[in-house]
Amino acid sequence: MPIDHKRKLIFIHVPKNAGTSILVHCNMKDIGHHKWNYYAEKYPKEWKEYISFAIVRDPIERLISCYEYARMQKSAWHDSNNSTIHPEYKLCAENDINSFLELICNGKIKKLFHEGWSPQINWFSEKGVIKVRKLISYSNLDNELESLGIYNLPLLNKSEISDESNISEKYKKIFQTVYLDDYKIFNSLNN
């Protein structure tokens, strides 16, 4: 389970927010992108006693990371050469990020299947109420993790940023609106 009994932590793994690094470094099990209520229901005693936390990343940086991750032929979790292919691999591999976002905005893509595209707030809140004890800014990751007793976090499953992922100002503005609630939380953590 994504619980560290030694440090008394419960980690809510928001996709593309250093989750794989934390899971591996802290030797956590019950992996996956489960929302806060999964842990509150499955581990009620720990949920009450331990510090639950999630990491919040700049939404546009996260969007770029999700795009680059989908384009990767191989990651810690998928491989385009076998049955674990990322559900948006072909779509992202064939389009630069602006063409990809244009397809979304024009309704030519009705649904994206990987969880990483949805707002971060979905994992750790309910009706706008934060349900975890601590939110950590990705911008200050090492210092904030140290406050939880997690030191020297390795960077695993990192998406390499390419020239294909330069988002135009038009799409930045659109997706700043799409991820407005994420921005409110991210900005509150960084002020």
Side-chain angles (χ1 to χ4, degrees):
M1 64 186 113
I3 296 178
D4 184 332
H5 292 289
K6 181 177 139 189
R7 295 179 187 95
K8 297 191 175 187
L9 301 172
I10 298 176
F11 174 55
I12 309 303
H13 182 182
V14 178
K16 297 313 298 165
N17 287 12
T20 300
S21 297
I22 291 170
L23 293 173
V24 170
H25 187 65
C26 296
N27 197 27
M28 295 179 171
K29 307 291 184 234
D30 194 1
I31 59 175
H33 303 123
H34 304 294
K35 296 179 181 178
W36 72 272
N37 56 336
Y38 169 86
Y39 303 105
E41 293 168 12
K42 189 169 181 180
Y43 309 107
K45 181 179 184 290
E46 290 88 348
W47 185 258
K48 288 177 186 172
E49 295 176 8
Y50 291 10
I51 295 173
S52 55
F53 74 101
I55 297 168
V56 180
R57 187 175 188 177
D58 176 281
I60 296 297
E61 286 181 12
R62 181 171 171 263
L63 175 64
I64 292 168
S65 182
C66 286
Y67 167 78
E68 290 291 357
Y69 177 70
R71 292 166 42 98
M72 291 170 61
Q73 290 187 338
K74 188 172 185 173
S75 77
W77 304 105
H78 68 264
D79 186 340
S80 64
N81 294 320
N82 65 33
S83 62
T84 60
I85 189 168
H86 188 286
E88 279 79 46
Y89 171 74
K90 185 175 180 189
L91 183 64
C92 292
E94 293 176 352
N95 291 283
D96 67 38
I97 197 163
N98 292 299
S99 300
F100 171 69
L101 297 175
E102 179 75 22
L103 292 169
I104 293 169
C105 290
N106 287 338
K108 295 190 177 180
I109 299 173
K110 301 292 185 207
K111 181 177 180 180
L112 294 171
F113 294 94
H114 191 270
E115 303 144 316
W117 308 110
S118 66
Q120 299 167 79
I121 196 168
N122 293 348
W123 275 269
F124 52 78
S125 77
E126 182 175 308
K127 298 179 183 174
V129 177
I130 305 300
K131 297 293 189 174
V132 296
R133 288 196 190 174
K134 184 167 180 71
L135 291 175
I136 292 177
S137 172
Y138 189 91
S139 301
N140 194 24
L141 189 61
D142 288 334
N143 287 337
E144 293 195 47
L145 286 176
E146 286 178 8
S147 74
L148 297 175
I150 300 172
Y151 300 93
N152 303 315
L153 186 73
L155 290 177
L156 305 174
N157 207 36
K158 184 178 178 188
S159 306
E160 296 299 324
I161 306 303
S162 71
D163 291 339
E164 304 256 333
S165 62
N166 291 323
I167 298 179
S168 71
E169 288 303 314
K170 171 185 172 183
Y171 290 115
K172 281 182 185 176
K173 287 179 183 173
I174 290 170
F175 282 88
Q176 284 170 343
T177 302
V178 169
Y179 296 122
L180 183 61
D181 290 334
D182 283 357
Y183 265 110
K184 287 177 184 175
I185 291 170
F186 180 76
N187 290 336
S188 73
L189 293 173
N190 290 288
N191 287 329

